[in-house]
Amino acid sequence: MAETTLGDTRIVFVGAGNMAEALVRGLVAAQVAPASNIRVSDIRPERLQHFARQYGVAGTADNVDLVRDAGVVVLAVKPQALDPVLETLRGRLPAEAVVVSICAGVRTDRIERLLGGEVRVVRVMPNTPALVGAAASAVCAGRHAAESDLRMTEGLLAAVGCVVRVAEPQMDAVTALSGSGPAYVCFLIEAMLEAASQMDLEPDLARQLAYATVRGTAKLIEETGLSAGELRERVTSKGGTTAAALNVLGESDAHGTWVKAILAARQRSKELSGD
């Protein structure tokens, strides 16, 4: 059970997509909040039916009705659809409500401006492993958010993985590192599986080995406390098979290319957020 519970606080999700579902599932499973205290909204009736059937969570297509008695309002719509949603909710939120945004690239000052008043906003950058309870999430406070609002949000996100606190200017870097990070890992796995195919390894066997290798390596780094570089050196014997592979990667400057790629993701995040 999670350390933080939200008691009788009504938690509502504006948008019922995959990330909202991951959070709802985590909150209910970790007993952070009962299903009866959670509501969702969406324009798609089938999504509302899914939440009711799968989690016992009520839904509506009316955002104004949704937020009427909310203590926590989670903004879980696509960034390009956010402005009209916020304009509809302007002046409609309960005075005590905390707004938690999981909209990628949307700064807290934009949300504050569109909602009006001294709304308390906490911005969150989760990533897709939230769907299996293994997210890496970062949170930062808007201008009016209190320490208690940050702690509450951290408790909410702890239901689907680990949480760190950052200053808002760091959110673009977080987006580039962990927000986009699952795609980098998938890119590596795709390369491993392509090589396995060329070596005539049976596909199911290759997938089993590749997934276990990625999962086990991360666990090894975490549990030994050694750096990735130190562990890489430990498994790289001079003149051995690992060294042969790393030599090829070094010749093509794979390390530098990865760094450039992640920096490019950060720059794009800045552009999308208007920086």
Side-chain angles (χ1 to χ4, degrees):
M1 180 174 175
E3 293 182 2
T4 299
T5 58
L6 296 175
D8 293 328
T9 302
R10 174 63 61 88
I11 306 170
V12 303
F13 289 79
V14 183
N18 287 335
M19 197 61 70
E21 182 172 1
L23 288 170
V24 168
R25 181 167 59 226
L27 290 171
V28 173
Q31 300 179 34
V32 173
S36 58
N37 285 351
I38 302 173
R39 293 183 71 201
V40 298
S41 71
D42 207 278
I43 59 174
R44 299 165 294 174
E46 67 274 13
R47 288 300 291 169
L48 301 181
Q49 293 164 7
H50 171 74
F51 274 75
R53 182 174 59 252
Q54 193 71 25
Y55 308 107
V57 168
T60 178
D62 185 341
N63 287 331
V64 173
D65 175 67
L66 178 79
V67 305
R68 198 179 310 279
D69 58 353
V72 179
V73 178
V74 182
L75 301 176
V77 298
K78 294 184 183 301
Q80 59 268 29
L82 183 62
D83 286 14
V85 169
L86 295 182
E87 289 166 1
T88 300
L89 296 179
R90 185 181 179 92
R92 308 287 189 131
L93 299 179
E96 69 278 7
V98 179
V99 176
V100 176
S101 171
I102 61 174
C103 299
V106 180
R107 295 185 310 212
T108 56
D109 60 355
R110 176 175 159 195
I111 297 170
E112 291 164 350
R113 183 176 66 255
L114 289 169
L115 286 175
E118 295 187 353
V119 63
R120 291 143 54 199
V121 179
V122 178
R123 179 179 170 187
V124 175
M125 172 50 66
N127 61 9
T128 51
L131 295 169
V132 291
S137 301
V139 302
C140 69
R143 184 171 39 164
H144 306 295
E147 171 66 23
S148 59
D149 300 328
L150 281 169
R151 289 200 303 269
M152 179 278 300
T153 305
E154 289 167 341
L156 186 153
L157 289 165
V160 293
C162 73
V163 192
V164 299
R165 190 183 298 192
V166 301
E168 186 155 22
Q170 294 178 297
M171 274 298 199
D172 293 313
V174 169
T175 299
L177 183 65
S178 59
S180 299
Y184 312 151
V185 177
C186 290
F187 189 90
L188 170 62
I189 291 173
E190 286 178 298
M192 293 171 72
L193 295 180
E194 172 61 26
S197 174
Q198 294 187 26
M199 296 184 294
D200 296 325
L201 276 179
E202 195 273 329
D204 286 344
L205 174 62
R207 283 191 292 270
Q208 182 180 357
L209 291 171
Y211 300 164
T213 298
V214 172
R215 182 171 57 247
T217 302
K219 185 176 181 180
L220 185 61
I221 291 171
E222 288 185 332
E223 295 190 2
T224 62
L226 296 174
S227 71
E230 290 171 320
L231 285 172
R232 173 180 50 76
E233 290 175 357
R234 289 191 178 198
V235 299
T236 307
S237 301
K238 186 176 181 179
T241 57
T242 306
L246 293 178
N247 286 341
V248 173
L249 294 174
E251 290 169 0
S252 62
D253 191 25
H255 179 92
T257 299
W258 276 111
V259 172
K260 289 178 183 177
I262 296 170
L263 293 177
R266 182 189 65 173
Q267 180 58 35
R268 183 56 179 157
S269 178
K270 287 185 175 183
E271 294 168 357
L272 292 172
S273 64
D275 285 340

